[in-house]
Amino acid sequence: QVQLVESGGGLVQAGGSLRLSCAASGRSFTGMGWFRQAPGREREFVAAFKTSDRSTRYADSVKGRFTISRDNAKNTVTLQMDGLKPEDTAVYYCAAGRVISSSMTSQSAYTSWGQGTQVTVSS
């Protein structure tokens, strides 16, 4: 019941940066997250933000390089991606739902999904 609009994807060279944004509207939610899917791979967790306590979670593969943040006034969540690597190439999806701490990294906990935005990192 949440409409999600993603932006910020594109092509960048290795070592560069991109910022993905996800604007949400509609029903309330308690958490937002980012997932990604590369060709031939399962969709995997990237980062998540829980609104109640502003806690965050990161996949080990992106920890230290990616930062998720929330702009309450604009009702958006942002994924700042620095030090991008070719292995980060994937379609990135924004997700929202009613989540608890133990389910923040599970895609099954999210009920609304964006259309996805392509991130391509060249070597």
Side-chain angles (χ1 to χ4, degrees), residues 28-99:
S28 63
F29 54 87
T30 58
M32 297 185 71
W34 290 94
F35 294 77
R36 67 186 182 186
Q37 186 170 22
R41 293 179 176 271
E42 297 290 330
R43 187 173 300 180
E44 65 177 359
F45 168 76
V46 177
F49 185 102
K50 187 153 66 72
T51 59
S52 60
D53 57 5
R54 297 184 294 277
S55 61
T56 59
R57 298 287 189 276
Y58 295 95
D60 290 340
S61 60
V62 306
K63 191 174 299 182
R65 299 187 298 119
F66 291 9
T67 304
I68 188 170
S69 61
R70 171 71 182 273
D71 186 333
N72 290 328
K74 299 180 179 179
N75 201 29
T76 61
V77 64
T78 298
L79 184 68
Q80 177 67 41
M81 305 185 294
D82 298 319
L84 284 164
K85 306 174 181 179
E87 63 195 63
D88 295 318
T89 296
V91 177
Y92 284 70
Y93 297 90
C94 176
R98 297 182 180 273
V99 304

